[in-house]
């Protein structure tokens, strides 16, 4: 747990006090500071992969959103970071979010004064931009006065052991039986160096769910920006690709982030085998934490991860209403999107792939 931001003075007063004392200065990330920013992120215990400076490139070049990556500095030393993105669209309205398209975000700091100053600047910026709300996708923490939350997501994290057989035995018996059957079926995996197998599987998979797809260039940009910390694992049955996942690596943990399976993947067990192979391969490279990512409560994905023996940890996302009168509710579980989801599923896949990237950039 970290100290949640709590103020009795206005945001402008806190900023002014910090500037007068010269104790903490809030700056905006510039390209020449990416190295310093990332060095802090790698050393800060509460920082995540989604606090990395590369996300500024993803947001600006990949999605066309204005970014405000803020950091708190004292005597040339970074004490805290807060990556923010200004979302604007017909679906999402106007919002200042840390961080859209990412499961984690918010303030990562090593000093309470840095945390307060970053939060104050963010609230000041949110009012200046006249957004509906300010959002911190924090992984841990409490809600401060004036902030709201809603129980929508949980994350799933688990320690990987050094021995493959021990990791296999740690999986609940029923799920382990499914996995052993998939292993016996002769499935095999390979680390891919391009998007040729991954993207068609992913595009078809999200289309079946009624969800707009990210542009192919989004995944290419992720690979370029994050290099060896972003890879693709594909599962084959014979020569046929049945499942594929793009994962991130950060500070001894692996995060399978964009996963997809063919229509045959469920019956063949390819999805289960894919995550097992990722665990096995990650363990071989010294990774000791498996982050299964977030899922919405009450969904099949939530149950799937629990079946693997992962305990859900509620995500305390924090929302500060600025001009809006209610919390945002842009998610597929909202009944008002049911008609859209059914209609999207009926679109021809090539048309969905063409239109999807223009819609998904508004969702965050």
């Amino acid at each position: 747990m970290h100290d949640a931001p709590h103020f009795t003075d206005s945001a402008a007063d806190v900023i002014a006090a910090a500037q007068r004392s010269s104790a903490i200065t809030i700056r905006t990330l510039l390209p020449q500071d990416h190295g310093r920013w990332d060095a802090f992120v790698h050393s800060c215990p509460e920082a995540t992969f989604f606090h990395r400076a590369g996300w500024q490139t993803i947001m600006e070049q990949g999605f066309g959103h204005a970014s405000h990556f803020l950091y708190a500095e004292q005597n040339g030393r970074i004490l805290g970071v807060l990556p923010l993105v200004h979302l604007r669209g017909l679906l999402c309205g106007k919002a200042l979010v840390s961080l859209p398209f990412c499961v984690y975000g918010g303030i990562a700091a090593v000093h309470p004064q840095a945390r307060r100053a970053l939060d104050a600047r963010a609230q000041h910026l949110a009012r200046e931009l006249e957004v509906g709300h300010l959002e911190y996708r924090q992984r841990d923490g409490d809600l401060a006065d004036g902030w709201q939350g809603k129980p929508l997501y949980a994350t799933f994290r688990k320690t990987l052991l050094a021995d493959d057989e021990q990791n296999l035995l740690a999986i609940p018996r029923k799920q382990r039986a499914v996995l052993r059957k998939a292993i016996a079926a002769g499935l095999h995996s390979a680390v891919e160096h391009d998007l040729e197998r991954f993207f068609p599987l992913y595009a078809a998979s999200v289309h079946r769910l009624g969800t707009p797809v990210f542009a192919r260039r989004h995944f290419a940009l992720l690979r370029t920006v994050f290099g060896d910390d972003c890879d693709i694992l594909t599962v084959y049955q014979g020569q046929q690709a049945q499942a594929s996942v793009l994962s991130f690596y950060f500070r001894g943990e692996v995060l399978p982030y964009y996963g997809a399976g063919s229509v045959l993947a469920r019956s063949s067990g390819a999805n289960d085998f894919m995550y097992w192979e990722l665990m096995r391969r990650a363990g071989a490279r010294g990774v000791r934490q498996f982050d299964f990512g977030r899922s919405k409560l009450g969904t099949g994905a939530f149950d799937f991860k629990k079946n693997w023996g992962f305990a859900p940890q509620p995500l305390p996302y924090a929302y500060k209403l600025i001009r809006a009168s209610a919390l945002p509710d842009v998610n597929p579980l909202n009944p008002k999107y049911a008609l859209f989801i059914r209609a999207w599923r009926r679109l021809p896949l090539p048309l969905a792939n063409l239109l999807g990237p223009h819609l998904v950039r508004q969702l965050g």
Side-chain angles (χ1 to χ4, degrees), residues 8-302:
T8 54
D9 299 325
S10 71
D13 290 339
V14 175
I15 294 171
Q19 290 175 337
R20 284 195 301 270
S21 68
S22 298
I24 299 287
T25 303
I26 303 299
R27 302 189 186 280
T28 300
L29 179 66
L30 298 174
Q32 61 265 30
D33 294 317
H34 277 210
R36 295 178 60 227
W37 175 293
D38 277 344
F40 171 80
V41 166
H42 279 278
S43 67
C44 178
E46 62 190 22
T48 71
F49 181 83
F50 303 99
H51 286 88
R52 289 184 55 172
W55 287 102
Q56 185 180 54
T57 303
I58 302 299
M59 298 299 161
E60 294 181 352
Q61 295 184 17
F63 295 110
H65 292 308
S67 74
H68 302 270
F69 276 42
L70 308 176
Y71 65 93
E73 185 179 62
Q74 181 183 52
N75 299 324
R77 177 187 172 213
I78 295 178
L79 299 178
V81 298
L82 174 56
L84 290 163
V85 168
H86 186 195
L87 284 181
R88 286 172 290 181
L90 294 175
L91 295 176
C92 65
K94 295 175 66 176
L96 193 59
V97 183
S98 180
L99 200 60
F101 311 105
C102 299
V103 296
Y104 308 134
I107 299 171
V110 295
H111 193 287
Q113 186 180 350
R115 185 182 308 283
R116 290 192 293 270
L118 284 166
D119 180 76
R121 178 60 61 86
Q123 292 192 43
H124 179 79
L125 181 61
R127 287 191 291 270
E128 190 176 68
L129 295 173
E130 299 183 334
V131 299
H133 71 277
L134 172 63
E135 177 179 345
Y136 295 161
R137 296 186 178 178
Q138 55 195 23
R139 190 168 67 191
D140 303 294
D142 300 317
L143 296 177
D145 291 344
W147 289 78
Q148 300 183 47
K150 55 182 178 179
L152 181 61
Y153 294 107
T155 189
F156 297 79
R157 294 161 56 81
K158 187 177 181 180
T159 299
L160 290 178
L161 304 173
D163 181 75
D164 286 347
E165 188 61 25
Q166 288 181 316
N167 285 322
L168 189 60
L169 292 174
I171 299 170
R173 183 172 57 85
K174 186 176 180 180
Q175 182 63 36
R176 191 165 66 244
V178 173
L179 183 54
R180 289 194 186 278
K181 183 178 178 181
I183 294 172
L187 299 176
H188 59 98
S189 69
V191 175
E192 309 281 1
H193 300 289
D194 56 44
L195 301 169
E196 295 309 307
R197 268 69 58 187
F198 168 80
F199 186 75
L201 284 169
Y202 183 79
S205 181
V206 296
H207 182 247
R208 289 194 298 273
L209 294 172
T211 303
V213 69
F214 289 100
R216 184 188 183 102
R217 67 178 179 273
H218 168 65
F219 302 105
L221 188 59
L222 287 172
R223 296 275 285 143
T224 298
V225 169
F226 296 117
D228 291 341
D229 292 332
C230 171
D231 72 11
I232 296 171
L233 181 71
T234 302
V235 170
Y236 292 86
Q237 188 165 40
Q239 298 299 311
Q240 184 181 30
Q242 290 202 1
S244 192
V245 60
L246 184 149
S247 303
F248 300 129
Y249 294 84
F250 176 74
R251 217 163 51 188
E253 67 181 13
V254 60
L255 302 89
Y257 205 65
Y258 296 105
S262 71
V263 292
L264 301 174
R266 178 170 293 184
S267 59
S268 69
N271 288 327
D272 304 272
F273 182 77
M274 175 178 72
Y275 289 117
W276 166 248
E277 278 293 278
L278 184 62
M279 288 182 186
R280 186 183 65 79
R281 288 173 175 268
R285 60 186 276 181
V287 171
R288 291 295 173 261
Q289 185 80 19
F290 193 92
D291 188 323
F292 229 151
R294 77 178 186 189
S295 290
K296 297 181 183 71
L297 280 65
T299 63
F302 184 96

Side-chain angles (χ1 to χ4, degrees), residues 289-346:
Q289 185 80 19
F290 193 92
D291 188 323
F292 229 151
R294 77 178 186 189
S295 290
K296 297 181 183 71
L297 280 65
T299 63
F302 184 96
D303 293 337
F304 177 78
K305 293 170 184 178
K306 283 187 66 177
N307 291 342
W308 275 78
F310 285 71
Q313 304 166 37
L315 284 172
Y317 288 179
Y319 303 85
K320 180 82 170 183
L321 298 184
I322 306 299
R323 296 178 67 88
S325 57
L327 294 178
D329 194 17
V330 183
N331 78 82
L333 298 182
N334 187 334
K336 75 177 185 179
Y337 295 115
L339 181 62
F340 170 84
I341 290 172
R342 289 197 296 270
W344 193 264
R345 287 171 175 162
R346 295 191 182 100

